[in-house]
Amino acid sequence: MTVSVRPACPDDVPALSDLAARTFPLACPPGLAAAAIDAFVAENLSEAAFAEYLRAPGHTVLVGLDKDGEVRAYALLVDGTGMDPECASVLTGLSTVGVSKFYVDPALHGLGVAGVLLDATVATARQAGASSLWLATNVDNARARTFYVRNGFVERGTRVFTVGGTENNDVVLEKPL
Ligand SMILES: CC(C)(COP(=O)(O)OP(=O)(O)OC[C@H]1O[C@@H](n2cnc3c(N)ncnc32)[C@H](O)[C@@H]1OP(=O)(O)O)[C@@H](O)C(=O)NCCC(=O)NCCS
């Protein structure tokens, strides 16, 4: 299974929001209340939120489409440290791009789709002149941490990330480009 990756367009918004709502819980720590997850999804992953990400300066949404044209993966990139300025102090890249969201349909985990999405993410960041990519993921998200480290991300520090009013501990990773 592979996907083709391209920048998202307004027609993708309903499918993006649906995939995002289905996959966000997979990145949450065990025990995080469903109400907190629901609140985060409603505020940040609605169709209105994705429509705004497509319009917002410094934001790029990439979509991965299967052979039938279905949205099966997506990434949201934010130039610089705009997604969490407090993380700037632990990053080493002079010019960086943040990966705010990076999600693959669970039916396609372990099949190389995430690698294709990451290749497109790297290419997008390089085109923008970035010298690194950075992101943060929950400390208990072992699958994602393994994937990122295998793909050249280095752990730089930690941060606190609030989901629906509940504070969670994230690890901050950076990949030199
Ligand atoms: C993170 C994500 C994009 C990675 O894609 P993927 O297709 O699952 O990645 P891969 O299977 O190539 O790599 C995952 C690695 O974790 C390993 N792994 C799987 N479950 C694991 C676990 N419970 N603990 C530790 N490692 C685990 C796999 O064996 C694999 O390692 P390997 O390639 O060395 O064998 C995907 O899992 C995903 O969308 N997860 C849900 C959303 C998410 O967490 N996104 C990141 C938010 S920042």
Side-chain angles (χ1 to χ4, degrees):
M1 164 64 76
T2 191
V3 294
S4 57
V5 180
R6 60 159 171 76
C9 61
D11 285 350
D12 299 320
V13 162
L16 272 166
S17 175
D18 178 71
L19 178 65
R22 284 193 289 118
T23 53
F24 179 71
L26 301 173
C28 293
L32 183 61
I37 296 174
D38 291 348
F40 185 94
V41 168
E43 186 175 352
N44 299 287
L45 304 175
S46 65
E47 292 189 24
F50 273 98
E52 182 56 30
Y53 297 142
L54 260 61
R55 285 191 296 266
H59 288 57
T60 304
V61 183
L62 299 175
V63 284
L65 307 171
D66 67 17
K67 63 178 175 31
D68 298 320
E70 300 293 325
V71 174
R72 307 296 292 269
Y74 80 99
L76 169 63
L77 316 184
V78 182
D79 288 352
T81 53
M83 67 187 194
D84 189 343
E86 287 188 15
C87 291
S89 62
V90 301
L91 302 175
T92 62
L94 292 177
S95 166
T96 193
V97 168
V99 184
S100 171
K101 308 277 183 295
F102 192 88
Y103 287 80
V104 172
D105 186 325
L108 304 185
H109 289 180
L111 299 178
V113 169
V116 174
L117 184 63
L118 184 59
D119 287 347
T121 299
V122 166
T124 301
R126 283 203 173 115
Q127 268 173 5
S131 55
S132 78
L133 279 177
W134 77 279
L135 55 81
T137 195
N138 189 267
V139 293
D140 289 328
N141 193 348
R143 183 167 194 133
R145 289 179 68 169
T146 301
F147 171 80
Y148 292 134
V149 169
R150 176 161 53 77
N151 283 284
F153 283 82
V154 179
E155 297 192 2
R156 299 285 194 222
T158 59
R159 72 161 185 184
V160 172
F161 184 61
T162 303
V163 175
T166 300
E167 292 189 344
N168 298 280
N169 296 314
D170 280 1
V171 59
V172 176
L173 300 109
E174 183 176 28
K175 175 181 168 69
L177 298 180

